[in-house]
Amino acid sequence: MLSIPRTLPLLLAAVVTAGCGTVTQQGSSDPARLSAGLVAPKNVPGDPTDHQQATIRKLDSALLDALTAATADARADGVTLVVNSGWRSRAHQQRLFDEAVRTYGSEEEARRYVSTPEASAHVTGDALDIGPTEAAEWLSRHGAAYGLCQVFANEVWHYELATTPGGACPAMLPDSSYRG
Ligand SMILES: [Zn+2]
């Protein structure tokens, strides 16, 4: 049976109070806007506006444009898009695939979850893994307006440019192994 420790409300009150204390600096409105989710903090891994990061910078330019537009519109809705993974080197993709082979026991099974470097759209800079969940949900509702589509039914976070902006997304493949 679950029971909530009696100290929890006190702990929560302490956290909230400490949080408020960080945004009261005079002359600085940014922390307050940050806490409201209106501005993506800089130098955060996966910040779609931070082109210093290779995972963002090496994306296909049309995909990067679509991501930039979607990020701004999501922010206006109070949702922060984070790129958990964008461009990947062949070596990185190979490591991910090798790991998946160990996890799932065969190359055939692993390909349902992780593509080989030859097949991966991440290696060519043509794919985005978006988080957190509410951001992926936002993109599933609005992505087609930017040409961004979920392409694998078992990967709600994985997006590619797969239609013209405002068009209809193609039917999803069951998983990444269907791409070969
Ligand atoms: Zn992906």
Side-chain angles (χ1 to χ4, degrees):
M1 184 172 142
L2 283 173
S3 69
I4 297 169
R6 280 161 190 266
T7 52
L8 192 57
L10 286 176
L11 286 173
L12 284 175
V15 168
V16 168
T17 306
C20 289
T22 62
V23 295
T24 52
Q25 285 176 322
Q26 219 178 359
S28 173
S29 61
D30 277 350
R33 295 181 69 201
L34 276 176
S35 67
L38 296 173
V39 177
K42 279 285 174 194
N43 302 318
V44 168
D47 174 0
T49 65
D50 185 355
H51 295 185
Q52 306 274 29
Q53 300 179 47
T55 192
I56 310 287
R57 189 181 70 246
K58 293 192 177 184
L59 290 172
D60 166 75
S61 63
L63 178 59
L64 185 52
D65 287 348
L67 171 66
T68 302
T71 297
D73 292 347
R75 190 172 291 155
D77 284 350
V79 175
T80 301
L81 300 189
V82 175
V83 179
N84 287 332
S85 188
W87 171 83
R88 296 174 191 152
S89 68
R90 287 183 62 89
H92 184 200
Q93 188 68 35
Q94 185 69 55
R95 280 195 298 276
L96 294 176
F97 184 70
D98 292 345
E99 241 170 63
V101 171
R102 284 194 293 276
T103 300
Y104 297 106
S106 72
E107 293 199 1
E108 188 186 2
E109 189 65 11
R111 271 198 294 272
R112 296 180 57 204
Y113 306 98
V114 180
S115 298
T116 61
E118 291 71 31
S120 175
H122 285 282
V123 172
T124 54
D126 293 311
L128 303 165
D129 292 345
I130 295 293
T133 303
E134 63 160 3
E137 284 171 354
W138 187 94
L139 213 49
S140 80
R141 284 196 301 277
H142 303 289
Y146 314 90
L148 294 168
C149 299
Q150 181 186 339
V151 294
F152 304 127
N154 70 337
E155 296 188 24
V156 296
W157 55 85
H158 179 106
Y159 281 82
E160 300 179 17
L161 272 186
T163 186
T164 52
C169 287
M172 292 180 212
L173 298 170
D175 62 57
S176 60
S177 70
Y178 284 75
R179 186 174 269 172

